[in-house]
Amino acid sequence: MANDLVRVYLPATVKLVAALRDADELPGAIAHAVTPALREWYAEGDEEELEYVAFMRAAQDALRLLRDDPSAPRRRVVVSADVPASQVVTESRDLGTSSVRLNGAVRRAAIAAFHVDEPEAEPVVAEAAEVVERAAGGDPDAQFTVDSAEDLDLLWYAPEELDELLR
């Protein structure tokens, strides 16, 4: 159905989320979701496990955003949102992919939660952002560094707690 909602996980930075105060929306972008290809790859996983995989992939993409924006605070951000299924485009059919493209911006009202590293995580996250591509290329030392960041839990904030998150 066209009115069905899909939970998506958008990688972000504190700077990108701060823009919500003025724009009231996040630009359409690459996100992660439970896709048919992810379900097929992880057939034994229940819905919660599949959502966790998509969430963690968004957190890893947040490292890439940090790598590309040295002025952003070194904290991963994942925005969970519920968007119309018609806004979600699965471009890759590769087995296990959770990557989707969003057509159009994500309205603030669609945001279910913000997830962000605590400030104490910044040194570990900064190091992981520097080596995330090397880890993806198979460098075991870089993967250890990225895994160290992934071992850190992200704090949960309700949409109405945006100002608290930004403090």
Side-chain angles (χ1 to χ4, degrees):
M1 284 187 213
N3 291 337
D4 287 344
L5 295 178
V6 175
R7 172 64 53 99
V8 295
Y9 303 96
L10 292 93
T13 64
V14 172
K15 273 178 57 177
L16 287 171
V17 171
L20 270 173
R21 282 190 193 161
D22 300 324
D24 209 39
E25 63 184 23
L26 290 170
I30 299 299
H32 291 270
V34 176
T35 63
L38 180 60
R39 284 185 198 285
E40 184 180 343
W41 172 74
Y42 193 26
E44 71 278 1
D46 63 21
E47 194 68 18
E48 189 173 314
E49 290 170 315
L50 293 168
E51 288 178 358
Y52 184 74
V53 169
F55 175 87
M56 290 306 296
R57 289 180 179 170
Q60 190 169 85
D61 279 354
L63 289 174
R64 290 179 173 91
L65 293 175
L66 291 172
R67 180 205 59 217
D68 295 342
D69 184 358
S71 68
R74 307 284 89 182
R75 297 166 71 190
R76 298 169 298 165
V77 178
V78 175
V79 180
S80 298
D82 297 312
V83 300
S86 60
Q87 191 176 349
V88 179
V89 178
T90 304
E91 293 179 326
S92 172
R93 304 283 182 218
D94 291 344
L95 187 62
T97 189
S98 62
S99 184
V100 296
R101 184 175 45 82
L102 300 180
N103 288 330
V106 175
R107 307 274 315 148
R108 190 171 182 176
I111 295 173
F114 299 102
H115 312 270
V116 62
D117 282 306
E118 56 189 320
E120 295 78 17
E122 287 188 19
V124 174
V125 171
E127 196 175 342
E130 292 301 314
V131 301
V132 66
E133 288 308 322
R134 289 196 342 242
D139 181 324
D141 293 332
Q143 187 61 55
F144 179 80
T145 301
V146 170
D147 288 347
S148 295
E150 290 179 354
D151 287 343
L152 302 171
D153 290 328
L154 284 88
L155 303 175
W156 180 92
Y157 290 88
E160 60 272 12
E161 295 177 304
L162 178 60
D163 288 333
E164 183 180 327
L165 178 156
L166 296 172
R167 268 191 231 117

